[in-house]
Amino acid sequence: MIVIKERASRRCAAFEMPAVSQVLFSPDDLCGRSLRQFFAELFGTFILVTLPHSANLSNAESKEITTGLSLAASLIIAIYLCGPTSGCHINPALSLASVLSGQMTLFKTVLYTLAQIAGAVCGCLSVKVMYGSDVVENAHWLADHSRHISEQQLFCTETLATFLLALVFLLLSDSCSPKELKLIGPMIIAASVSGLFFAFSHKGGCCMNPAIVLGQTLVFHSSHSQWSSGSCLASFLIGPVLGACVAVLVFRALLSEGARRQRDEYEELRMVLNSRKSDYCRYDT
């Protein structure tokens, strides 16, 4: 009976929004760990930007394959290096999904976003220094595809791809997700991003990351670059934000309930096994 009541309370809590004070700010946000998290997000975004851009400048026959594989490799490296410190969001859209789902405060979301933009700018600057100023038009994979599709297609692509990525991220970062699933989380994220890139790259580059777009705009901006026009830039920025918001709604309505149900079933089974074990020890004595 107690288990049933606890399960019902947890299901109701899945749809409860956190308090406003908990969403905006937490006393833990001012500790020294926040500074370490800032630099972890900066460094992780730097890795995410540098490797795929360098791969896109290679002389390989299929740049989509090399760029997609480098995206997966850079994510695995960044998550294992920076994940224990900051969770390795390295994407403002994912940080937005975290604060909307109650996993992080608004103050820390702003801190993460600033770090991600700074990391993207540093990554783009490093690529420009390594390969020279003649790569201004070709250094980013967005320039290869987004100029050949309409603005509506670009917006829908960014929204859908970020929606799917945010769902995977929320499932892995949820406290009710199985530990076994979180152990292979970096591989799941890397496979998801590279898979989405292979699926949607021909429809606009499939960036899914407003920080990278802002970094590319500030460093690689050129008057001859069609993708950096106001309408295309709005699609790259607003699309991921909208996709993250919709992903939070879907997660809270569907997936979070399933994760909590699995945890409740696991805890109920553990309680039964422990009670049987105690009974066996009592009879044995």
Side-chain angles (χ1 to χ4, degrees):
M1 189 66 181
I2 297 177
V3 174
I4 296 176
K5 290 182 179 180
E6 291 180 353
R7 182 184 302 178
S9 62
R10 287 169 183 166
R11 289 179 180 177
C12 294
F15 299 94
E16 293 178 357
M17 296 299 293
V20 177
S21 59
Q22 297 177 352
V23 172
L24 296 179
F25 179 78
S26 173
D28 296 335
D29 293 340
L30 296 180
C31 64
R33 185 181 179 185
S34 296
L35 184 61
R36 296 194 299 269
Q37 291 173 338
F38 177 87
F39 286 107
E41 287 294 311
L42 190 153
F43 184 59
T45 311
F46 174 83
I47 297 174
L48 179 63
V49 171
T50 305
L51 295 184
H53 281 79
S54 300
N56 195 57
L57 291 170
S58 64
N59 296 324
E61 296 181 359
S62 179
K63 290 186 177 181
E64 289 187 2
I65 297 178
T66 55
T67 304
L69 294 178
S70 65
L71 274 172
S74 62
L75 279 170
I76 293 175
I77 295 173
I79 292 174
Y80 276 111
L81 288 178
C82 307
T85 303
S86 65
C88 197
H89 294 185
I90 56 178
N91 189 334
L94 300 184
S95 298
L96 176 64
S98 295
V99 68
L100 292 179
S101 60
Q103 299 179 6
M104 193 168 62
T105 62
L106 181 61
F107 176 85
K108 188 162 289 187
T109 300
V110 174
L111 185 71
Y112 275 34
T113 302
L114 294 176
Q116 292 154 4
I117 295 175
V121 171
C122 293
C124 292
L125 286 174
S126 67
V127 172
K128 191 172 183 178
V129 170
M130 287 188 296
Y131 294 96
S133 59
D134 57 336
V135 301
V136 170
E137 285 292 329
N138 299 318
H140 44 80
W141 63 85
L142 305 180
D144 298 335
H145 306 282
S146 60
R147 64 184 63 183
H148 303 300
I149 65 173
S150 65
E151 299 168 3
Q152 293 78 9
Q153 290 176 319
L154 181 61
F155 179 80
C156 293
T157 299
E158 290 295 312
T159 303
L160 178 59
T162 311
F163 165 75
L164 297 175
L165 175 61
L167 275 181
V168 176
F169 172 79
L170 289 172
L171 180 62
L172 292 175
S173 60
D174 187 69
S175 59
C176 297
S177 299
K179 294 181 179 180
E180 294 78 6
L181 188 64
K182 293 183 178 182
L183 290 177
I184 59 174
M187 305 300 177
I188 296 177
I189 291 292
S192 300
V193 172
S194 61
L196 290 171
F197 178 81
F198 289 138
F200 297 114
S201 59
H202 64 286
K203 285 295 185 180
C206 193
C207 185
M208 304 176 286
N209 195 324
I212 295 179
V213 174
L214 290 175
Q216 292 174 344
T217 303
L218 295 174
V219 178
F220 300 132
H221 177 72
S222 173
S223 59
H224 302 289
S225 182
Q226 180 180 351
W227 77 270
S228 59
S229 61
S231 56
C232 288
L233 188 60
S235 299
F236 281 119
L237 296 178
I238 300 176
V241 172
L242 178 60
C245 294
V246 177
V248 171
L249 295 177
V250 174
F251 178 78
R252 293 185 68 89
L254 301 177
L255 299 182
S256 61
E257 173 66 13
R260 282 170 172 78
R261 186 183 297 112
Q262 290 181 357
R263 187 187 66 174
D264 292 338
E265 293 176 354
Y266 173 78
E267 291 183 353
E268 183 179 0
L269 178 61
R270 183 174 58 85
M271 292 173 60
V272 172
L273 292 178
N274 289 337
S275 62
R276 291 183 178 179
K277 182 179 179 180
S278 60
D279 293 340
Y280 173 78
C281 294
R282 185 168 59 252
Y283 291 140
D284 187 45
T285 55

